[in-house]
Amino acid sequence: MRVLLVEDDDGVANALVDVLAAHGHQPTRVSRGADALTRHRDHDLVLLDLGLPDADGLDVLRKLRRIGSIPVVVLTARGEERMVVRGLRSGADDYLVKPVRMAELLARIEAVARRGRPAAAAADEVRVGDVLVDLRTRRVQVGDRDVELTPKEFDVLAVLAGEVGSAVNRQRLMDEVWGDAYLAVSRSLDVHIAQLRAKLGRPELLVTIRGFGYRFGE
């Protein structure tokens, strides 16, 4: 797995990177919460310390959870029961207290990753009414006509089509399309949704969920 290690202690980080790499994982170490928010999309799991120099680790965890569902394992020296409870309630998939046995850490990471794997591969094509979205070829048809979309327009539609019939929040859309929900300009998303509605000619299929995000499908 591609593991993003968020740890500001060089000694701890170096030891963890060595162990993860020795067991076939691809670790990347960063030391700040801001780095976790900008780089998590390139990884399969986040190993998160709570004592970071630029942010409280629990705040970073909550922001990651608002964006999406990447597995997060907390690894921290904060072992008080109330902190464990707060961490799990904030969205951690597991919570480990330092010092931790490396064999246990590896087993916990693998268990969390197994729980997060989808049961089946997502469909390559999504059809809603007479709109067909081919996620593999990036082709969109409405009835018998092809619809030309810009790369970003298709990316927005693809995220929504991947969750057809379900509401997708704005932060997740911005994070997946622009790379970081905390740097992307929110207005850009609204503009792209408006362009999609106009090009598809089926505005009723791109539903605004007020105060939350959007849904593709009636």
Side-chain angles (χ1 to χ4, degrees):
M1 287 182 297
R2 298 167 301 171
V3 178
L4 181 62
L5 171 63
V6 190
E7 169 63 65
D8 69 326
D9 185 295
D10 291 338
V12 173
N14 291 337
L16 289 171
V17 165
D18 289 345
V19 169
L20 290 167
H23 287 80
H25 299 295
Q26 300 173 38
T28 300
R29 183 264 178 126
V30 297
S31 59
R32 303 185 310 139
D35 297 324
L37 296 176
T38 57
R39 300 183 64 178
H40 69 94
R41 290 181 66 248
D42 297 325
H43 297 83
D44 303 309
L45 180 142
V46 176
L47 191 56
L48 177 66
D49 184 21
L50 297 185
L52 300 174
D54 66 326
D56 185 278
L58 286 178
D59 290 336
V60 174
L61 173 59
R62 294 185 191 104
K63 289 176 179 178
L64 288 171
R65 275 293 157 265
R66 286 201 294 270
I67 295 169
S69 57
I70 186 170
V72 179
V73 175
V74 168
L75 179 60
T76 179
R78 301 180 188 177
E80 304 90 347
E81 182 180 3
R82 64 181 182 84
M83 287 303 303
V84 177
V85 171
R86 287 181 65 192
L88 294 172
R89 286 181 174 173
S90 296
D93 294 277
D94 207 340
Y95 192 109
L96 297 173
V97 179
K98 300 174 184 176
V100 64
R101 291 172 295 184
M102 291 303 181
E104 180 183 0
L105 172 63
L106 292 166
R108 295 285 192 99
I109 287 175
E110 289 162 8
V112 166
R114 283 197 302 272
R115 292 200 299 268
R117 289 187 190 120
D124 286 335
E125 294 185 351
V126 177
R127 182 179 291 277
V128 177
D130 64 347
V131 177
L132 175 66
V133 182
D134 190 322
L135 299 172
R136 182 176 58 85
T137 65
R138 297 178 67 89
R139 182 182 180 189
V140 178
Q141 286 183 297
V142 178
D144 295 328
R145 68 182 177 92
D146 287 333
V147 178
E148 296 294 329
L149 300 179
T150 68
K152 279 288 191 288
E153 289 168 356
F154 184 87
D155 290 343
V156 171
L157 182 59
V159 175
L160 293 170
E163 302 284 346
V164 63
S166 300
V168 179
N169 71 51
R170 296 176 61 87
Q171 288 181 325
R172 177 182 167 191
L173 276 164
M174 289 188 291
D175 183 67
E176 294 202 20
V177 175
W178 281 273
D180 180 19
Y182 299 93
L183 297 178
V185 178
S186 181
R187 180 61 181 158
S188 296
L189 175 58
D190 300 323
V191 170
H192 282 73
I193 291 289
Q195 291 170 340
L196 281 170
R197 285 173 173 153
K199 289 185 176 182
L200 296 177
R202 303 291 186 273
E204 72 280 0
L205 297 183
L206 285 166
V207 181
T208 300
I209 310 299
R210 189 175 299 277
F212 184 80
Y214 297 95
R215 181 181 73 241
F216 179 55
E218 296 181 284

